[in-house]
Amino acid sequence: MMTKSDLTDWSLEYCSQVLRGDIIASDKVKKACKRHLRDLDRVDDDDFPYKYSVKRANRVISFIEMLPDIKTGKPNKLALFQKFILSQLYGWREKEKPVRRFHKAYISMARKNGKTIIVAGVASYEFLFGKNPEYSRQIYCTANSKDQAKIAFSMVVKQLNKVMRQSPSIRKRIRKVREELTDEQSYSVLRPLSKDTGSIDGFEPLVGILDEYHASKTTEMMEVLESGQVLLDNALTLIISTAGFDLNAPMYTIEYPYVTKLLNGEIEDDNYFAFVAEQDNEDEIHDQSLWIKSNPLMEVNEIRDMLVTNISKKLNEAIAKDELNPTLTKNFNMWRATSGASYINEADWKATEKHIDITGEDVYFGVDLSRVDDLSAVSAIFPIGDEKFHCDSHSFVATKGGLKTKIERDKIDYHKLAKNGYCTITGLESGVIDLNQVIDYIIEYVEKNELNMKGICYDPYNSQMLLAEIERRGLDWELFEVRQGIKSLNEPTKDFRIQIYNRMMTHEPNPLLDIAVHNATLKEDNDGIMINKRLNREKIDPIVAMIDAHTEAMYYYKNQPADPFLFFV
C-alpha cells in the first residue's frame, strides 16, 4: 500500500523551500534547485532524453531511512537536503532505457553534516538492490589513503551487521571476508580502495565513491574508477568531500571550477550533478543565521543548536588565535591555504583574474632561472593606465631525469599545460633548460603583441649564460639586476600584494601562475618580507619572476612626466 511519504516529491519540496527563502542556502545550492526545476519543465520535450520518477527516488530514500544509526541503533531520519541529493541521483533516469541520468556527482559541505550517511546509504543500496547489471556489481569506497577509504566501508559494515540481525533473508546473502563484503545472491562485492591497493582482477566499478577527495594530490583514483567504467552504462562516480587546504588539489583546480561553470550555465553537462553547500563570502561567518549555507543539517531543529554551539566555540577560538583558515575550511566549507602566512589570499587572487588585451602596452619582464634541470619562468607586468597593472607568466620545463618522473614528483601535468600554451618543454636532448627558447619566447611575445619593452629584471644567480646570449644576439634590452634577498625584495613583494588587494593589479587565467601563488608563503625578519615555499618540490618560480618584474614596474607611474595640459583642465 502506497503511503503519503511514498508519494511526496522531496526534491520539489526542497527546491520550493530554498527558493522561497524558508531554507537559507548557498548560491550554488540555489542554482542546483533552479536547474532541477528547469529540467522538470523540459521532460516532455522530444529533444530532452531524461525523465524524473518520484517513486524511484523515494524507494532509495525509504531504504536508507530503514538503515540503523551506528551509534543509537535507531533508523536514520534523513534531512530534506539529503533527500534532495538522493532524489537527484535516483529519480532522474533516461527515457529510452532504465539507467541513471547522472553518472558523476560532486557533493560538498562542512564537516559533521551527514555526508557519510549518504555515502553508506548509496553503497549499501547498490550492493544489495542495484540494477543494470543485475549480477556482479562492484561498489568501491575510495579515498586518498587506505585508512580514509575504510571509514565509509566500516560504516556500511556496521549498518549491515545490524540489518542482518533483523532480516534473515539479508543475513543469508552477505558474507564478509577481511575487507570485502560479498552478496552471494547477486555475486556483488563492496570493498574499500585506495592508491595503496594492489591490482584488482576484472575491475569494473558500478559505483565508485571518492570520499574526502580534497586530500587527493592527483587525479589517479578518479582515472582508475572512470577507466574501469567504460563498458557500463549505469555507472556512478560520487565525489563527496569537505573543502581542503591544498589549493593545487584536483578537487579545487579541476572539479570545483567545472561545477561552478555548470551551475552558472556556462557549460552544459546533463550527466553531472553538483550540490555545493558553502558560505558565499567570508563576512557571512559573523552571522549565525547564514551558517546553514555550509551546514545544511541546521535545517533540522534538533541538531541546529548543537551545531551552532560547537561551531561558535571553534570560531571564537580561531579568531582569538588569529588562525581562521582551518575553521573556514572545515566548518564553513571554504577553500583556504593551510597557513595564515600564505602570500596572497585565494579569494583576492581569484577576484583579480581577468583577460585583458595587452596589445601595444609597455611591459616589464622578470626572469627566474632555476637550476637548469628544474622549472624556470618569465613573467610580465603591464602598466595599463589609471595607475593599474596587469600580469601574466610563462614557464619553461626541464626534462632531465625524465618528464614523467617530473610530472609525478611535482603533481603537475606539464604535457597538458604545454599543449594549452602555459609552458614550453625543453627541446634539448640533455633535458636542461634551453636559454634560446627563453629568449625566443620573449622576442616573439613582444613582437606578436606589439609591446614596448621597458626592461628585463633578472636574478644574477644562474644568469651569466642568459646575459651572454642576449649580448651575442645584439638585443638592445635594458637589464635590471635583482638580488634575491629580503632587503631588495621587501618593497616589491609588499607592493605587489597591495595592488592585488586593492584590485589595481589583475592577472590572466594561468594554471601555473595560480599554482605558484598557492604555494607561496612569507619569509620574514627585521628587514622585511620575501616569498618562500613550504616544500622543496612546490613550484613558485612564476611568482618569483613576477616580483622581480615588479621591482621596476612598481615605479612606472611615479616616474611618468607631468602632463603639461593639466594646467588647462
Side-chain angles (χ1 to χ4, degrees), residues 31-148:
K31 288 175 178 176
C33 291
K34 292 176 181 177
R35 181 192 189 195
H36 175 63
L37 297 181
R38 282 198 307 271
D39 288 348
L40 285 178
D41 288 338
R42 300 168 64 196
V43 165
D44 293 331
D45 296 347
D46 292 338
D47 61 350
F48 189 68
Y50 308 104
K51 61 184 179 180
Y52 184 75
S53 169
V54 173
K55 184 178 178 180
R56 284 184 177 274
N58 288 358
R59 174 182 171 86
V60 179
I61 291 170
S62 295
F63 166 76
I64 295 175
E65 289 200 314
M66 289 175 64
L67 292 174
D69 182 285
I70 61 173
K71 294 180 180 178
T72 66
K74 297 178 180 179
N76 287 319
K77 183 171 176 58
L78 296 175
L80 190 54
F81 84 91
Q82 293 168 321
K83 292 179 180 180
F84 170 73
I85 292 170
L86 292 165
S87 295
Q88 295 297 295
L89 297 181
Y90 287 96
W92 281 107
R93 314 289 288 181
E94 290 190 16
K95 289 178 180 176
E96 299 300 323
K97 52 185 178 180
V99 297
R100 69 179 91 246
R101 168 190 173 179
F102 292 117
H103 296 287
K104 193 168 186 177
Y106 178 110
I107 299 167
S108 183
M109 62 196 76
R111 291 184 64 193
K112 303 301 180 183
N113 273 270
K115 294 191 302 294
T116 311
I117 290 175
I118 297 172
V119 168
V122 168
S124 297
Y125 182 82
E126 295 289 346
F127 175 61
L128 292 173
F129 306 113
K131 304 292 182 185
N132 195 15
E134 188 79 25
Y135 299 99
S136 302
R137 297 182 299 277
Q138 298 178 21
I139 295 90
Y140 292 93
C141 299
T142 83
N144 191 52
S145 68
K146 191 172 184 178
D147 288 343
Q148 181 64 46

Side-chain angles (χ1 to χ4, degrees), residues 187-203:
Y187 312 109
S188 298
V189 296
L190 190 155
R191 61 182 294 183
L193 177 70
S194 72
K195 64 180 181 180
D196 305 321
T197 307
S199 60
I200 302 171
D201 293 333
F203 183 70

Side-chain angles (χ1 to χ4, degrees), residues 108-226:
S108 183
M109 62 196 76
R111 291 184 64 193
K112 303 301 180 183
N113 273 270
K115 294 191 302 294
T116 311
I117 290 175
I118 297 172
V119 168
V122 168
S124 297
Y125 182 82
E126 295 289 346
F127 175 61
L128 292 173
F129 306 113
K131 304 292 182 185
N132 195 15
E134 188 79 25
Y135 299 99
S136 302
R137 297 182 299 277
Q138 298 178 21
I139 295 90
Y140 292 93
C141 299
T142 83
N144 191 52
S145 68
K146 191 172 184 178
D147 288 343
Q148 181 64 46
K150 288 167 65 176
I151 292 175
F153 175 76
S154 296
M155 184 171 183
V156 174
V157 170
K158 291 174 182 176
Q159 284 186 331
L160 291 184
N161 279 338
K162 293 181 181 296
V163 169
M164 285 188 286
R165 295 191 193 108
Q166 301 170 18
S167 171
S169 62
I170 298 295
R171 185 164 61 248
K172 291 177 183 179
R173 292 173 54 178
I174 298 175
R175 289 187 62 192
K176 181 178 184 295
V177 179
R178 292 187 293 276
E179 293 176 354
E180 180 175 283
L181 289 178
T182 303
D183 176 16
E184 295 189 339
Q185 177 174 298
S186 66
Y187 312 109
S188 298
V189 296
L190 190 155
R191 61 182 294 183
L193 177 70
S194 72
K195 64 180 181 180
D196 305 321
T197 307
S199 60
I200 302 171
D201 293 333
F203 183 70
E204 198 174 49
L206 173 66
V207 175
I209 298 166
L210 289 154
D211 192 21
E212 298 300 355
Y213 190 50
H214 70 85
S216 293
K217 304 293 184 183
T218 69
T219 58
E220 182 180 353
M221 286 306 304
M222 179 83 74
E223 292 164 1
V224 167
L225 290 173
E226 293 184 339

